Structure formats: C-alpha cells, structure tokens
Amino acid sequence: MKTQITEMLGIEHPIVQGGMHYVGLAELAAAVSNAGGLGVITGLTQRTPELLAKEIARCREMTDKPFGVNLTFLPTVSSPDYPGYIKAIIEGGVKVVETAGNNPQKYLPALKEAGVKVIHKCTAVRHALKAEAIGCDAVSVDGFECGGHPGEDDVPNFILLPRAADVLKIPFLASGGMADGRSLVAALAMGADGINMGTRFIATQEAPVHANVKAAIVAASELDTRLVMRSLRNTERVLTNQAVERLLEKERTLGANLKFEDILPEVAGVYPKIMQDGTMDAGAWSCGMVAGLIHDVPTVKALIDRIMAEAHGIINERLARFSAA
C-alpha cells in the first residue's frame, strides 16, 4: 500500500509506532520496522545522549530497515541536552525523527542538513499548520481519543482528520484510536496517509514491558481511561487505577488551588515501576481509549499483517460492493 508516508519514510506499510516512555526501546522499534512499518525509539527514555546512541546501535543490530527516534521537547526549567540527543540521532544514521511537545523550530536546521525527515505530533489544526510553516515534513494529528496528551481542545478524530486534510499541504498520520484495518481505512478515507499507533503496540509480544501492563490493556474497555491534570492545562489520558483515582480526588478537592507538587506521588518517576516492575497501581500511565478494541497480545508482525489484510479486505470487498451498486 503506497502513500505519501510510505514513500517519504521508505517503509512498506503506512503504520508508524509512536514514541512511548519506557516502551519505545530497540526491541519494539526493530520489530515494527522488520514487519514493514516504522519503529520508533523514545529518545528521552534514554537518560543521556550517550545512552541513546547505544540504543540506536542496538536497534541497528536488530533491523536493516528504517526506524525513527521520538524527541519530546519539554517545557522544563532544566532542559535535557537536546543538542546532544540530536547529535546522537544524526551520527547514528537515523533518518526519521518524531518531535512532540514544544515547537522544534530551533532544532530543524541541523536535522534537515543531515537529511532527517521530521514528523511533529499535533493535537490541533493550528499546531499542524505551524509545523508545516516551520518546515516539518509531515505531522501526526492526535485526536482526543489518544493516550498521553490530547491537548485542550477535545476534538475527536472524526472531525480533526478531515479538518487537517482540508488545510494541510504536507502528509499526515492519524493518531489516537488506531488499532486495526478499520482504523487504517477510516484514516485514509479522511485524508491521512497512514496511522500512528501507541497503545496497540504496547499489547504485543515484543513490547519490552511487564506482562501485567499488557494484561491491563487487554482487560480494559473504552470506558477505563481518565483525563488527569486538566486544571493544570497539561491534560493526559491515562488508564484508571488506584493512583489515578487518588489524583482525581485531589483535583476535585483542591480545585483551582491544585499545584503540580500536590500530585507528584502519582506522576513522578512512576514509569519504571509500572512498565518494568508491573506495579500497576504505582501511578498514572498513558493509555488510549483504543484499549477497548484490544483483545490479544500478538507478535508485531502478526498484528501488522492482520491490519493490512483487513484493510485490503475492506477496500476491495466491503467498500467495492457499495460502489458497484
């Protein structure tokens, strides 16, 4: 299936694995790339540029296909060594970077000069237009359904994707709620050139996370996510657990007086405890509403092959019947 995204990234299928903290390691990225999609290493999970360079090298040993690196630009006082991370990406021969968070403009010249394609994650059409204007090669348009940070506009993908298609000149990925061949065909119908999947890829055999995490996603329905940190304008969609419900109670009790420090026990440093140790009530962790569509833990290859077979079946059989009539 050829789209602008497959042509741009040099991949077989229009399926990209999103960057995910303590999930996007070499094992998963290589598995996705080997299966014909684009695997992505999460840059900031590696605490230093040197560690990222090692992870890129490790991924290179597992695949000879293209893979990318996610780099999230955080609004923090003590900023990570972004020039160092970008140097590791370029020297590692990585040709695709998924940027997220703050505006990546100041880092684009170095990436462009090295021939790196930049896909910026956006939760609003205005942000996507800005990404296009500053020179990003593509964008990932994240609807309200997505796990992680859906922005503050609450626009779901049935509206957001066609709106993006109406105004963007660069290709875009549909992100949020993507799980199967139906998702892919719907995204293509609404103007996207591929899909970006996060939560669905956590529930795969190669995802380097504890079995408890995968089991929690499979057991969850579409009603089991919560939105936290809304009053801080840092909204995050997470899977509910005891810590999340405690966090929400603090938000209700403190109201406008809530400060980030009040919820630190529920959000700070929790990812290793959950993803690596499987302590499921340790804190809040990102998960999309798409959990309601996830019922198994296949290999990455089996998942991608299934998505593509289902997509082709829908296009060539179900949809073709309507046009024939």
Side-chain angles (χ1 to χ4, degrees):
M1 185 181 284
K2 287 189 176 181
T3 71
Q4 288 185 78
I5 286 291
T6 63
E7 299 289 286
M8 176 187 293
L9 306 182
I11 57 178
E12 186 181 354
H13 305 307
I15 299 172
V16 175
Q17 168 236 321
M20 294 172 284
H21 206 31
Y22 282 87
V23 181
L25 303 180
E27 291 87 349
L28 181 58
V32 174
S33 291
N34 283 334
L38 184 82
V40 174
I41 293 169
T42 305
L44 295 187
T45 295
Q46 307 302 320
R47 295 185 310 280
T48 66
E50 292 74 23
L51 289 172
L52 176 59
K54 287 181 181 176
E55 195 69 8
I56 290 169
R58 204 162 71 85
C59 193
R60 187 82 60 203
E61 290 173 0
M62 298 184 216
T63 185
D64 58 0
K65 304 284 182 68
F67 62 89
V69 171
N70 164 280
L71 203 51
T72 298
F73 296 102
L74 301 168
T76 54
V77 178
S78 55
S79 180
D81 179 10
Y82 288 118
Y85 282 107
I86 287 169
K87 185 168 181 280
I89 289 165
I90 292 169
E91 290 182 353
V94 175
K95 292 302 180 185
V96 185
V97 167
E98 176 192 63
T99 56
N102 283 1
N103 189 325
Q105 185 169 10
K106 66 187 282 191
Y107 302 105
L108 289 184
L111 292 167
K112 290 281 193 179
E113 192 176 330
V116 177
K117 299 294 184 186
V118 177
I119 305 170
H120 189 61
K121 290 181 74 69
C122 305
T123 59
V125 172
R126 63 186 180 280
H127 299 154
L129 286 168
K130 179 66 175 178
E132 179 180 82
I134 65 174
C136 291
D137 299 283
V139 290
S140 175
V141 177
D142 284 30
F144 183 54
E145 307 94 324
C146 73
H149 297 278
E152 309 301 325
D153 293 347
D154 301 358
V155 181
N157 267 330
F158 245 74
I159 309 301
L160 192 60
L161 298 177
R163 277 282 294 116
D166 284 344
V167 296
L168 289 174
K169 296 181 179 66
I170 56 175
F172 67 94
L173 293 162
S175 184
M178 303 296 143
D180 53 30
R182 296 171 298 183
S183 311
L184 176 55
V185 174
L188 295 173
M190 287 188 280
D193 284 281
I195 58 174
N196 181 307
M197 297 197 306
T199 304
R200 173 65 269 198
F201 275 127
I202 303 178
T204 57
Q205 290 182 27
E206 293 91 341
V209 302
H210 198 282
N212 291 354
V213 178
K214 302 176 189 185
I217 291 172
V218 171
S221 82
E222 67 277 14
L223 304 177
D224 290 325
T225 68
R226 301 288 183 267
L227 295 171
V228 298
M229 297 188 285
R230 297 233 81 175
S231 59
L232 299 175
R233 294 193 64 76
N234 187 33
T235 301
E236 184 177 3
R237 186 179 296 282
V238 299
L239 193 68
T240 187
N241 59 26
Q242 291 176 24
V244 168
E245 296 304 327
R246 280 200 310 272
L247 193 164
L248 289 170
E249 183 57 34
K250 288 181 181 179
E251 291 190 359
R252 280 190 290 268
T253 304
L254 295 172
N257 296 319
L258 182 79
K259 296 182 177 61
F260 188 69
E261 295 73 34
D262 298 320
I263 58 171
L264 274 179
E266 287 78 34
V267 298
V270 300
Y271 271 80
K273 297 173 190 171
I274 294 162
M275 296 300 173
Q276 295 174 348
D277 303 338
T279 309
M280 299 313 297
D281 289 316
W285 58 284
S286 296
C287 180
M289 295 176 82
V290 75
L293 297 176
I294 298 172
H295 309 300
D296 62 354
V297 184
T299 65
V300 165
K301 185 178 189 315
L303 174 62
I304 289 180
D305 286 351
R306 185 168 77 197
I307 290 171
M308 295 311 301
E310 187 181 6
H312 284 297
I314 292 169
I315 293 166
N316 296 325
E317 295 168 27
R318 179 174 166 75
L319 297 183
R321 285 203 305 272
F322 297 136
S323 61

